[in-house]
Amino acid sequence: MDLESVADELYGLPPEDFTDARRRHAAAARASGDRGLATRISSLRRPTLSAWACNLLVRADPDQAAGLLRLGEGLRQAHQELDRDQMRELGSRRNRLVGALSRQVRDLAAEAGHPVSESVLREVEVTLQAVLADPDAAADWATGQLARPLSPPVGFTESALAAAARRPAPAAPATAPEAPAARGDGRKAQAKKLARARQDAETAEQRAREREEALREAESEHERAEALLEQAEQRAATLAEDVRTAENRLRAARRELDEARAEEGTTRTARDGARKRVSETRRAAGQARRDAQSAGDRVEALEAEGG
């Protein structure tokens, strides 16, 4: 048993089976003497429904997963190189693929007995966007062992990619010099556009930060709930062990009581037998005394007759 194989099994289970299976594996690790492994297994977090659905997709369709990873590599490269044509082409593919994968997740989850809501599906879509934007997120997602949904990095949002793809390429320089007034007006217009672009970018980043903060708060709340659940599970396991110990002691006490009762019965039987033998002996002794007395009386009678 090792952590990777246990994690691979746990994150492939339905969410409701995760906790019991984790407890069994941790108990088996403790029983084998590997308390460190037991602790690491116990620290594995139960996945949210959206994380479980993403894991389900990776495991059910590795080819689609590989296609999303390749698309993410292309998008990130195009974004770094500011290749607008490539970004437009890959952006169109991204929208189609994310939509198709979201529908596939919805169908897979329903087939597995866990239909997902629109809010959960949105978390799945955000996770897929994070996979496209962030190589670290892509690596985590590809393991099929997510415990919570992912989010794309600030500044690499879907709207930012779309805006960059739509932005026209810089115009070629004019062959003839511009008049000073025209150049001034052009610089003012360019400055206004730049200011609006910066404001839009700042607004987008602020919204992204707010979403990140909300996500972090939700994750913290989830972590606290998971910690409380883990404590409750450990207390329940301890209580269950105490109950088993008490039951074993009760069974042992009952066996001792049954043995004592059986021994008491044997003792009573022996005592009754001894009493009976004492009574019989006393009766025999009395009869012997009477017989002796009768014999003495006959001897005395015979002696009297002879004298």
Side-chain angles (χ1 to χ4, degrees), residues 217 219-229:
E217 291 177 359
E219 289 174 349
S220 298
E221 185 65 28
H222 176 70
E223 291 292 335
R224 288 193 292 271
E226 284 284 338
L228 292 174
L229 177 61

Coordinates of all heavy atoms in Angstrom, one line a residue, residues 217 219-229:
E217 N -12.1 32.2 0.5 CA -13.0 32.1 1.7 C -13.8 30.8 1.6 O -14.0 30.2 2.7 CB -13.9 33.3 1.7 CG -13.1 34.6 2.0 CD -14.1 35.8 2.0 OE1 -15.3 35.6 1.8 OE2 -13.6 37.0 2.3
E219 N -13.0 28.1 0.1 CA -12.1 27.0 0.3 C -11.7 26.9 1.8 O -11.6 25.8 2.3 CB -10.8 27.2 -0.6 CG -11.1 27.0 -2.0 CD -9.8 27.3 -2.9 OE1 -8.9 27.9 -2.3 OE2 -9.8 27.0 -4.1
S220 N -11.5 28.0 2.4 CA -11.2 28.0 3.9 C -12.4 27.4 4.6 O -12.2 26.6 5.6 CB -10.9 29.4 4.4 OG -9.7 29.9 3.7
E221 N -13.6 27.8 4.3 CA -14.8 27.3 4.9 C -14.9 25.8 4.7 O -15.2 25.0 5.6 CB -16.0 28.0 4.4 CG -17.3 27.6 5.1 CD -17.3 28.0 6.6 OE1 -16.6 29.0 6.9 OE2 -18.0 27.3 7.4
H222 N -14.5 25.4 3.5 CA -14.6 24.0 3.1 C -13.5 23.2 3.9 O -13.8 22.1 4.5 CB -14.3 23.8 1.6 CG -14.2 22.3 1.2 ND1 -15.3 21.5 1.2 CD2 -13.2 21.6 0.8 CE1 -14.9 20.3 0.8 NE2 -13.6 20.3 0.6
E223 N -12.3 23.8 4.1 CA -11.3 23.2 4.8 C -11.7 23.0 6.3 O -11.4 22.0 6.9 CB -10.0 24.0 4.7 CG -9.3 23.9 3.4 CD -8.8 22.6 3.0 OE1 -8.5 21.8 3.9 OE2 -8.7 22.3 1.8
R224 N -12.3 24.1 6.9 CA -12.8 24.0 8.2 C -13.8 22.9 8.4 O -13.8 22.2 9.4 CB -13.3 25.4 8.7 CG -12.2 26.4 8.9 CD -12.8 27.6 9.7 NE -13.8 28.4 8.8 CZ -13.4 29.3 8.0 NH1 -12.2 29.7 7.9 NH2 -14.3 30.0 7.3
A225 N -14.7 22.8 7.5 CA -15.8 21.8 7.6 C -15.1 20.4 7.5 O -15.5 19.5 8.2 CB -16.8 22.0 6.4
E226 N -14.1 20.3 6.6 CA -13.5 19.0 6.4 C -12.7 18.6 7.7 O -12.7 17.5 8.1 CB -12.5 19.1 5.3 CG -13.1 19.0 3.9 CD -13.6 17.6 3.6 OE1 -13.0 16.6 4.1 OE2 -14.4 17.4 2.7
A227 N -12.1 19.6 8.3 CA -11.4 19.4 9.6 C -12.3 18.9 10.7 O -12.1 18.0 11.4 CB -10.6 20.6 10.0
L228 N -13.5 19.6 10.8 CA -14.5 19.2 11.8 C -15.0 17.8 11.5 O -15.2 17.0 12.4 CB -15.6 20.2 11.8 CG -15.3 21.6 12.3 CD1 -16.5 22.6 12.1 CD2 -15.0 21.6 13.8
L229 N -15.2 17.5 10.2 CA -15.7 16.2 9.8 C -14.6 15.2 10.2 O -15.0 14.1 10.7 CB -16.0 16.2 8.3 CG -16.4 14.8 7.8 CD1 -17.7 14.3 8.4 CD2 -16.6 14.9 6.3

